[in-house]
Amino acid sequence: MRSPRTVSSRRAGGRSLRRATCATMSGAALFSRASRMKTYVALLRGVNIGGHNKVAMADLRALLADLGFVDARTLLQSGNAVLRSAARSTSGIERLLEGELRRRLALAVDCFVRTAEEWEGLVARNPFPREALRDPSHLAAVLLKEPGAASRMKSRQGAIVGREVVRARGREVYAFFQNLAGKPVRLV
């Protein structure tokens, strides 16, 4: 193992989140650790929309690294991240992220986490496969915390007027918006 090096992560305003010491591992140790890692998809609901809940993705990646997640990547300014960690429960990661985002970055947002395998299942369960190929920009999947919330969507189905179609599957709600004109549909 090589000597440790210090890494500093910063948040808006230049204040340091935490200084951490990292060690560069040998190839064998790195491979062994990597083989026990699991990939997760984390979605932060409602960040960087209309000037509300603003967070820089560099700050989000720094926070994730500070919490022990590795290889964190983010997409644009969406609050969506792919990260790796030792195996943990997705609900535990959600609670950890929500708490630390609130404490460290003053963000009170819901976080939704799925394993890479669960994400692949989410795509496979899509009840609108033809629409996904034909018109993917009008298809959405909304993640939920618990499967019971999806069953409650059936009662809301009647409130939808127009050509929007909504289907619940497990901890996800899928919506196909055939006609985006008119009043917006609240899915959850």
Side-chain angles (χ1 to χ4, degrees), residues 68-84:
F69 297 103
V70 296
D71 300 332
R73 294 172 306 227
T74 55
L75 176 66
L76 304 173
Q77 291 295 315
S78 66
N80 299 338
V82 175
L83 46 103
R84 295 184 334 124

Side-chain angles (χ1 to χ4, degrees), residues 144-167:
L144 307 170
K145 297 277 188 179
E146 72 238 10
S151 65
R152 291 192 297 271
M153 278 304 301
K154 291 179 184 173
S155 65
R156 294 185 180 183
Q157 190 76 39
I160 298 172
V161 291
R163 299 177 353 159
E164 291 83 7
V165 184
V166 177
R167 298 287 181 266

Side-chain angles (χ1 to χ4, degrees), residues 36-112:
R36 295 188 307 263
M37 302 294 262
K38 198 165 181 92
T39 302
Y40 297 91
V41 176
L43 308 178
L44 282 59
R45 183 169 287 162
V47 299
N48 296 334
I49 296 176
H52 299 286
N53 293 323
K54 293 172 84 172
V55 62
M57 293 301 99
D59 293 340
L60 177 57
R61 288 189 302 272
L63 175 74
L64 293 169
D66 199 39
L67 294 174
F69 297 103
V70 296
D71 300 332
R73 294 172 306 227
T74 55
L75 176 66
L76 304 173
Q77 291 295 315
S78 66
N80 299 338
V82 175
L83 46 103
R84 295 184 334 124
S85 171
R88 308 180 192 194
S89 75
T90 55
S91 61
I93 295 172
E94 289 171 348
R95 285 190 303 275
L96 173 66
L97 292 177
E98 288 167 354
E100 292 302 313
L101 285 164
R102 187 176 297 108
R103 187 171 77 78
R104 298 183 191 200
L105 299 178
L107 284 176
V109 297
D110 290 326
C111 298
F112 299 86

Side-chain angles (χ1 to χ4, degrees), residues 16-32:
S16 178
L17 285 175
R18 185 175 149 215
R19 294 189 67 80
T21 301
C22 302
T24 305
M25 306 173 97
S26 70
L30 191 58
F31 178 76
S32 173

Side-chain angles (χ1 to χ4, degrees), residues 100-139:
E100 292 302 313
L101 285 164
R102 187 176 297 108
R103 187 171 77 78
R104 298 183 191 200
L105 299 178
L107 284 176
V109 297
D110 290 326
C111 298
F112 299 86
V113 177
R114 301 293 190 267
T115 64
E117 295 81 14
E118 289 173 321
W119 193 262
E120 289 171 4
L122 178 149
V123 173
R125 284 189 303 277
N126 173 16
F128 307 111
R130 287 191 309 263
E131 292 84 348
L133 291 172
R134 187 186 70 223
D135 193 6
S137 67
H138 291 135
L139 179 63

